[in-house]
Amino acid sequence: MSKERKDCLHERTVIIEKEEIYNVKGEDIKVNAHVRKCLDCNEEILDMVLDTDNLKQAYDIYRKKHNMLSTKDIINLRRKYNLSQRTFAILIGCTQTTVVRYEKGALQNLTYDNIMKMLEEPANLKSALEKNKDKLDAKEVEKIEMTLNDLLKEEKCISSYEKFLATLPLKDDNYSNVQSDFLNSLNTLFEKNDLEENMQMVFVNKEEEVLLKNLEEIFKLLNAMGKTLKITSL
């Protein structure tokens, strides 16, 4: 960045875009930076907000290049389990201040990044909870365990559904349009985790009724989660 002229008050400025290099952990990262420039003296002016955003952009590029969790990934991971920042910090072994920094865009330590990736699996989060129960309030532990149980049931449910799909014939010609709609709707339902209550679907061909038996485990799990999925054979 150029030095500012002391005799200019920089009353008229504009934000421009230019290519800049930021050094992140010894690695040069090229970014399309936003820089404030004076229209009167043509000098670049220090803008802490823009500089911070440019640095975050460099961090994002570095994370993507090294397959690290993004800031959004970290926030979503904590929210997935309904954890406070304090509890999340305890489970990954850092301070609450560190979690706050990560969620504001600071580049995470590689060790913590690997730990957080592991915790994306509910079973691993459950293990971490067991190891740190003594550091958490009993009510907090109970709340997390309830969330974990729901997530683990959903995982099992989705796994059962995938096994169900594997039993279907490969040729689409064997299915009517309504049957295809049924399968597509069910697929969308599970992919989006949007398990709507009292959702009714119609399965037409009686000859394929045997396939419904493969869904028995799915329905049991849905009911355990307080959801109802009805299929009517005509």
Side-chain angles (χ1 to χ4, degrees), residues 75-89:
I75 294 172
N76 288 341
L77 175 61
R78 179 174 63 81
R79 290 177 177 173
K80 173 182 177 179
Y81 299 109
N82 295 318
L83 303 175
S84 65
Q85 290 177 327
R86 173 185 173 277
T87 300
F88 189 51

Side-chain angles (χ1 to χ4, degrees), residues 198-214:
N198 301 317
M199 184 167 186
Q200 185 167 356
M201 294 180 177
V202 178
F203 197 80
V204 173
N205 193 343
K206 275 190 174 182
E207 294 178 0
E208 302 296 341
E209 209 169 312
V210 65
L211 294 176
L212 297 181
K213 295 179 181 179
N214 296 348

Side-chain angles (χ1 to χ4, degrees), residues 101-159:
R101 287 179 54 249
Y102 289 168
E103 293 192 358
K104 286 185 176 180
L107 184 63
Q108 65 267 34
N109 179 289
L110 187 58
T111 299
Y112 290 139
D113 186 74
N114 289 330
I115 292 173
M116 288 186 286
K117 282 180 181 177
M118 289 178 61
L119 296 188
E120 289 181 317
E121 293 294 330
N124 292 333
L125 193 286
K126 188 174 183 179
S127 296
L129 180 63
E130 288 295 326
K131 293 177 182 178
N132 293 280
K133 272 187 176 180
D134 59 326
K135 302 174 186 176
L136 300 170
D137 179 81
K139 289 185 177 180
E140 178 73 5
V141 172
E142 184 180 359
K143 184 184 76 171
I144 299 171
E145 287 177 336
M146 289 177 63
T147 300
L148 278 172
N149 287 335
D150 286 343
L151 288 170
L152 288 169
K153 285 177 182 177
E154 284 187 21
E155 276 194 352
K156 188 176 180 182
C157 194
I158 292 171
S159 175

Side-chain angles (χ1 to χ4, degrees), residues 23-39:
N23 189 279
V24 180
K25 293 187 177 295
E27 187 174 333
D28 287 340
I29 302 295
K30 188 184 298 182
V31 303
N32 292 320
H34 290 93
V35 179
R36 188 171 297 281
K37 188 174 184 179
C38 180
L39 292 174

Side-chain angles (χ1 to χ4, degrees), residues 57-86:
Q57 184 186 161
Y59 286 163
D60 287 342
I61 294 172
Y62 182 90
R63 288 189 187 97
K64 188 173 182 179
K65 184 177 180 180
H66 294 277
N67 195 31
M68 300 173 71
L69 295 177
S70 68
T71 300
K72 187 176 181 180
D73 290 335
I74 294 172
I75 294 172
N76 288 341
L77 175 61
R78 179 174 63 81
R79 290 177 177 173
K80 173 182 177 179
Y81 299 109
N82 295 318
L83 303 175
S84 65
Q85 290 177 327
R86 173 185 173 277

Side-chain angles (χ1 to χ4, degrees), residues 215-227:
L215 288 169
E216 184 177 354
E217 185 178 359
I218 293 176
F219 298 146
K220 287 180 180 178
L221 290 167
L222 285 172
N223 288 331
M225 293 159 57
K227 306 292 182 180

Side-chain angles (χ1 to χ4, degrees), residues 154 158 161-162 165 183-195:
E154 284 187 21
I158 292 171
Y161 171 58
E162 289 173 348
L165 287 184
L183 293 174
N184 290 334
S185 298
L186 191 57
N187 195 41
T188 300
L189 187 68
F190 279 88
E191 283 182 353
K192 293 184 178 180
N193 271 341
D194 184 20
L195 304 173

